[in-house]
Each structure stands twice: as C-alpha cells, then as structure tokens.
C-alpha cells in the first residue's frame, strides 16, 4: 500500500482562499497543492486556479499557484538532498528505480483514472500514456550501464586518461497538459537515475497526477527532497528559469513558450531543452494501400482528441490518391464514438478546457471563409451543440492551402486537414518549408521512395507506414526547426547526456624521484 493514500485529493480548500462571491460548495472543492521535501506543502501565496472535469464542464478542484517563496523552498529541499543522493551507489539507485517501475505498473489504472478525470482522455488512451511513460522508467533502470565512461591507458609515459559523467545538481521539468504522467516520466526518470534532484512544474489544468506519482516515488524509497512538485503559473515558471541553484530545465509545450523558456533559461546560465509545437504531415503516395492509410490517418489525427504533439494534422495527398483517400477517411468518421471516459464505448473524449475547444472550433469557420471544404464538421456533433462538457466531433477539411490560417497554426484538436499536391517532390517541399519539424510520415509500397523520403525530410522523427513515429525509450524524442530549442533531444541516450556533464581526468602515478620542472605545454612522449 502507498503511505498516506492520496490525502491531497481529499483535502478541502481553506475558506480564507475562496474568492469573493464564491459559493461554499465551490470554496470547499478538493484541493491540490505542492510536494516539497517528501510531503504535501500548502502554498503560501493564497493564489489558486480551478481544475475542471472536461466531460461535464464543471469545476472539480482547486490547485495552488506557487509563489517565489514556494519555489525557493522546493529548490532548497532539492539542494539539501543532492549531496546524499549523488553519493548513493548506482546499485542502490537502480534498486529504487526498479521499485518505482513496479509501483507505477501496479497502479497504472489509478493513474489513468486521474488522467481521464482531469484531462478528459478516454481510459484506453490514458492507459497507453502510462505505458509509454513507464518505458522511460524501465530505460532508466539501466543507469549503471548508461553512465559508463571511457578509459585510455598509457596516452603518454605513465599517463592514463578517462572520462566520467557526473550529475548536474538540481534540475527542473515544466510539463504540458496533454500528457500529465508520461512527459514527467520522460524527464525525472533519467534525471534522478543520474544522481540529480528534480523539481516538477506540471500543468495547472491537470495537476493531480504529479502528486500521485510523488506518493509512489516516496513509497519506492526515493529520499525526501529528491523529487519535488510546485504547482502554478508563470510566477513559478519564471522563478525556475531565474533561480541560480537550478542547473537545467526541460520543457514541452507550444513553440512561443518553448522559445521563451530557452532564451530566458540560457540567459540565466542554465542548460535547456525546450520542445515546441508541431504541424505533422502524413504524405500518401498514389501506390499506398488506401484503407491502411485511412485507418492510420484517423487513428493519428483523432486519438486523444488531437491533443498530441505527434498527432497527424495534415494529410498530403499526392496525385490521384486524393479523392479515394478523402472518401475513405470520411467514411470512418461517423464510427468514432465521442463521449466521456465513463462511457466504455467512448473512443474520443473532450478537449481540456472550454476556451481551447472554442479556439479549435473557430478554425473550422475560418477554413470555410478562406476557401477550404469542410467535409466533416465537429460542430455538428450533439455533444458540441447540447452537452455541458468540452466536446468537439471529428472534423475533416479538404483542399487546404499553405496560406490558410488553419495550416499556418498548430490547431491541437480533432481537425484533420488535407493538402493536395501533384508530385512527390511537391510533398517533400511542403514538409520541408513548414516551420515545424517534429514528426512526419509517408505511406507507400515503394521502398525506394520511402528511403528517399527519410533521407530528404527535414524533420526529427520519420515514420514509414507508421503515422506517429514516437521513438521507443532507448532512442530519443525530439524535433527540428521550431519544434525544438536546444541541442539535445529528450529521454533515451540524449536524456542521460542532458542530465550529466562530462569530466575528463588525466592521471599519472610516477615512481619516486622521477618528477621534474617542465615549463613547456604538456605533450605526448
């Protein structure tokens, strides 16, 4: 059993925090707070924000917003824990990582239920998120092998040289609303396995998973202060970026914020990896299997209501494949069951907030005004028109051009656009000229065309007859161009590199009496 079974989900908000005019029922909603030094830590700022159930549209909880002092307390706890954690043997760290892995595996359904309640994704999708995050914890259990350095004997007379990798110190992760369990696992698993201490700033839209995970880590034996959580908004983010004791920051979110995180963090002397937005293209050549391509497009575009940075948002139909492909996609859309996670038949849930749902829907109106053809309009769905939740049906827009607003922006919702081009060369040009470079895919039976595409595509992750080419944990995740700010991709081998720095040691153990003064620059002898 987990010690203190999620008391943070049962606490009631203190009445002095209630906004003027708030009803007693709203004021006393469950209260989500910080995790500092191995325990829940109510915020000192008095500021907070609402957490909604996207399926009903009703507020379900409050979440604290951290003050500068709250962030400083978390950093102090992490700083105090660092010397002991860094000195902990690799075998002991590995043992703890294995216990973390086992506890997450045992409680994956509970984590998934939290994701469904606050993000809105249906249980099958939520369980998939936990599984993909768990892969990264499993990768981190191999940290003794991953931290092996190199050794060169006798580089000079009696001189050996070797390289070791050492932890940075206190590091932080700022994570998005769309994967409140998986993306933190991308970050903290490698970070703490390498000997760092970690501060997580999750999205304020769905914050509870972070505290559940903190409980699991404590139960696994992670020492107090090694893993901390600060909830909040820009105040917390800016303090993380400015704090002199935080050595590195990982971020996943939109491109404008990623650029801000990277520029601010590096200006303050931090190592930063900031993953931004995406506009992922799926190129379909005339020889492709139409049914396979249509199934893949629907799965990749509408899973998690399109709220994935690796979702396919643009199908590039080459030549005569356009009409049959659009018809095949359209035929599949009425079969998508849209509904709350409590409905076992639901395949696609609501969007995370009403504001985001309305922003996504507004692109459909603009598409029509700018000359595109709305083949399927999610605003026609009953749950959009009459439901209280933040639902929007699956939408399909044909004859989109690169000049349209919907193409130039990351929609991040259940809207799939079709751009028609005349040739393979035009398709590659379209992909490469897009400012984003996260993921792309090609569907074809032609091995030569597929190989040429992987060679030419200026994108960080490429799928060949695979619509969402998210790497397994022992590779690394990251895009190009405006989809990534920084030099290293996330998780996997590059994650280990990000959370450590190299030290080269040159050693000599001379015989007594052989030392002498030499004012020249050291040279090989």
């Amino acid at each position: 059993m987990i010690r203190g079974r999620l008391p943070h989900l049962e606490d009631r908000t203190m009445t002095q925090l209630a906004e003027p005019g708030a009803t007693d029922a709203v004021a006393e909603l469950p209260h989500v707070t910080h995790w500092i030094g191995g325990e829940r830590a109510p915020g000192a700022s008095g500021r907070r924000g609402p957490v909604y159930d996207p399926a009903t549209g009703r507020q379900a909880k409050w979440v604290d917003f951290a003050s500068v002092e709250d962030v400083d307390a978390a950093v102090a706890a992490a700083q105090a824990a660092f010397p002991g954690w860094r000195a902990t043997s690799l075998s002991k760290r590995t043992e703890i990582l294995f216990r973390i892995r086992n506890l997450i595996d045992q409680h994956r359904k509970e984590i998934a239920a939290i994701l469904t309640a606050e993000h809105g994704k249906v249980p099958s999708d939520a369980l998939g998120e936990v599984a993909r995050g768990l892969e990264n914890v499993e990768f981190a259990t191999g940290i003794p092998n991953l931290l092996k350095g190199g050794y060169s004997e006798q580089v000079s007379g009696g001189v050996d040289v070797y390289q070791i990798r050492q932890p940075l110190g206190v590091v932080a992760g700022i994570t998005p609303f769309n994967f409140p369990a998986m993306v933190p696992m991308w970050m903290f698993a490698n970070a703490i396995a390498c000997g760092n201490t970690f501060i997580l700033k999750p999205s304020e839209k769905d914050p509870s998973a972070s505290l559940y995970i903190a409980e699991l880590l404590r139960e696994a034996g992670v020492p107090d202060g090694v893993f901390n959580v600060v909830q909040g908004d820009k105040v917390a983010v800016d303090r993380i970026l400015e704090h002199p004791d935080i050595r590195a920051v990982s971020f996943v979110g939109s491109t404008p914020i990623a650029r801000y995180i990277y520029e601010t963090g590096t200006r303050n002397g931090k190592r930063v990896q900031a993953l931004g937005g995406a506009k992922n293209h799926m190129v379909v050549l005339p020889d492709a299997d139409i049914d396979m391509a249509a199934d893949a497009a629907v799965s990749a575009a509408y899973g998690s209501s399109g709220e994935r940075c690796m979702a396919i948002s643009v199908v590039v139909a080459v030549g005569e494949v356009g009409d049959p492909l659009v018809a095949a996609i359209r035929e599949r859309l009425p079969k998508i069951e849209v509904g709350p996670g409590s409905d076992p038949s639901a395949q696609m849930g609501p969007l995370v907030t009403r504001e985001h749902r309305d922003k996504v829907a507004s692109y459909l109106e603009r598409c029509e005004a700018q000359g595109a053809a709305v083949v399927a309009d999610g605003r026609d769905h009953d749950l959009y028109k009459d439901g209280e939740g933040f639902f929007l049906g699956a939408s399909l827009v044909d004859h989109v051009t690169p000049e349209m607003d919907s193409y130039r922006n990351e929609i991040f919702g259940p809207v799939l656009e079709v751009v028609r081009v005349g040739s393979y060369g035009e398709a590659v040009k379209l992909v490469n000229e897009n400012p984003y470079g996260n993921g792309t895919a090609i569907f074809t039976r032609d091995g030569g065309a597929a190989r040429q595409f992987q060679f030419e595509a200026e994108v960080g992750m490429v799928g060949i007859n695979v619509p969402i080419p998210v790497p397994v944990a022992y590779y690394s995740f990251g895009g190009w161009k405006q989809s990534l700010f920084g030099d290293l991709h996330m998780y996997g081998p590059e994650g280990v590199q990000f959370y450590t720095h190299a030290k080269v040691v040159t050693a000599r153990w001379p015989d007594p009496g052989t030392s002498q003064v030499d004012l020249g620059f050291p040279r090989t002898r």
Side-chain angles (χ1 to χ4, degrees):
M1 293 294 291
I2 303 173
R3 291 202 310 271
R5 168 64 65 186
L6 297 183
H8 57 278
L9 295 182
E10 303 300 329
D11 281 3
R12 302 302 178 183
T13 306
M14 292 180 289
T15 55
Q16 62 262 36
L17 292 181
E19 285 78 0
T23 65
D24 290 342
V26 171
E28 295 184 2
L29 286 171
H31 180 56
V32 183
T33 188
H34 316 301
W35 181 272
I36 299 174
E39 61 184 4
R40 290 178 301 116
S45 71
R47 299 187 308 117
R48 62 182 183 173
V51 179
Y52 291 95
D53 177 351
T56 65
R58 293 190 290 271
Q59 183 178 342
K61 300 169 187 172
W62 291 105
V63 59
D64 278 348
F65 284 177
S67 64
V68 168
E69 291 76 18
D70 293 325
V71 177
D72 288 352
V75 175
Q79 189 83 335
F82 175 66
W85 182 241
R86 180 193 176 188
T88 300
S89 68
L90 286 174
S91 59
K92 181 64 175 178
R93 276 189 245 156
T94 301
E95 179 185 347
I96 291 173
L97 262 293
F98 267 106
R99 288 204 294 264
I100 293 171
R101 183 263 171 211
N102 290 338
L103 283 168
I104 291 174
D105 180 45
Q106 292 167 23
H107 297 285
R108 60 173 73 203
K109 289 184 178 179
E110 291 91 334
I111 298 172
I114 295 172
L115 305 185
T116 296
E118 293 186 356
H119 174 273
K121 60 182 65 178
V122 297
S124 59
D125 195 27
L127 285 167
E129 172 181 345
V130 178
R132 292 308 303 266
L134 192 58
E135 289 179 8
N136 292 275
V137 180
E138 292 168 350
F139 174 83
T141 61
I143 201 64
N145 182 63
L146 300 169
L147 286 180
K148 288 193 301 185
Y151 195 103
S152 297
E153 185 182 51
Q154 198 70 3
V155 300
S156 185
V159 176
D160 303 329
V161 175
Y162 49 96
Q163 184 186 70
I164 55 180
R165 302 205 69 88
Q166 295 183 331
L168 304 177
V170 180
V171 300
I174 302 169
T175 57
F177 73 83
N178 58 326
F179 287 105
M182 183 184 74
V183 173
M185 285 189 255
W186 284 6
M187 300 175 183
F188 77 73
N190 274 339
I192 66 174
C194 289
N196 302 282
T197 53
F198 192 82
I199 296 171
L200 172 63
K201 207 302 283 183
S203 171
E204 68 278 13
K205 295 181 176 67
D206 41 17
S208 295
S210 63
L211 293 189
Y212 193 99
I213 290 170
E215 295 270 5
L216 294 178
L217 265 61
R218 185 179 68 174
E219 184 68 13
V222 173
D224 294 347
V226 170
F227 181 83
N228 306 274
V229 180
V230 290
Q231 312 286 358
D233 56 3
K234 190 173 184 294
V235 172
V237 170
D238 284 345
R239 184 55 181 160
I240 287 171
L241 296 175
E242 295 165 359
H243 200 293
D245 292 332
I246 294 178
R247 304 293 302 277
V249 177
S250 299
F251 171 82
V252 176
S254 68
T255 286
I257 304 303
R259 181 183 288 108
Y260 173 81
I261 296 288
Y262 180 75
E263 292 176 351
T264 307
T266 54
R267 187 167 60 246
N268 284 289
K270 304 184 191 311
R271 181 178 291 185
V272 180
Q273 55 180 185
L275 277 63
K279 196 73 175 179
N280 303 318
H281 295 65
M282 177 177 140
V283 176
V284 182
L285 297 187
D287 71 326
D289 182 313
I290 297 297
D291 287 333
M292 179 183 181
D295 286 341
V298 170
S299 300
Y302 304 112
S304 197
S305 299
E307 292 176 323
R308 293 172 176 161
C309 66
M310 287 296 285
I312 290 297
S313 53
V314 179
V315 165
V316 184
V318 179
E320 65 271 18
V321 79
D323 285 344
L325 179 61
V326 170
I329 293 173
R330 180 179 186 177
E331 179 185 356
R332 286 159 171 76
L333 299 192
K335 301 174 185 177
I336 298 175
E337 293 290 339
V338 179
S342 58
D343 181 352
S345 66
Q347 298 169 293
M348 190 177 94
L351 280 77
V352 69
T353 65
R354 187 180 307 279
E355 292 77 13
H356 182 57
R357 189 274 309 269
D358 293 346
K359 180 181 178 181
V360 172
S362 72
Y363 281 107
L364 296 169
E365 185 174 346
R366 281 186 271 176
C367 284
E368 287 184 303
Q370 294 175 1
V374 178
V375 177
D377 193 332
R379 296 171 296 179
D380 294 333
H381 198 282
D382 290 342
L383 287 174
Y384 175 83
K385 294 186 291 186
D386 303 321
E388 295 180 347
F390 311 141
F391 292 95
L392 179 67
S395 301
L396 177 64
V397 185
D398 195 6
H399 299 289
V400 173
T401 65
E403 296 77 25
M404 294 180 181
D405 290 343
S406 60
Y407 180 85
R408 291 188 294 108
N409 292 285
E410 183 183 25
I411 298 176
F412 218 65
V415 178
L416 177 61
E417 300 182 291
V418 179
V419 177
R420 300 188 182 219
V421 298
S423 67
Y424 166 84
E426 290 179 66
V428 173
K429 184 173 184 288
L430 188 72
V431 171
N432 289 348
E433 288 183 348
N434 193 274
Y436 298 109
N438 213 39
T440 190
I442 186 169
F443 277 70
T444 180
R445 291 185 174 95
D446 187 333
R451 188 179 186 282
Q452 188 68 19
F453 185 74
Q454 77 177 37
F455 182 80
E456 295 180 331
E458 296 174 5
V459 176
M461 293 167 281
V462 178
I464 297 174
N465 296 315
V466 174
I468 304 181
V470 176
V472 291
Y474 39 90
Y475 286 85
S476 295
F477 179 105
W480 291 7
K481 299 182 282 191
Q482 292 187 33
S483 293
L484 173 69
F485 298 87
D487 299 324
L488 294 172
H489 290 178
M490 198 163 287
Y491 70 67
E494 292 190 43
V496 173
Q497 188 177 348
F498 179 80
Y499 288 119
T500 59
H501 43 197
K503 179 181 288 185
V504 178
V505 180
T506 304
R508 179 173 64 179
W509 301 97
D511 293 331
T514 62
S515 179
Q516 63 183 13
V517 174
D518 185 351
L519 300 185
F521 195 84
R523 61 189 186 275
T524 301
R525 296 172 185 256

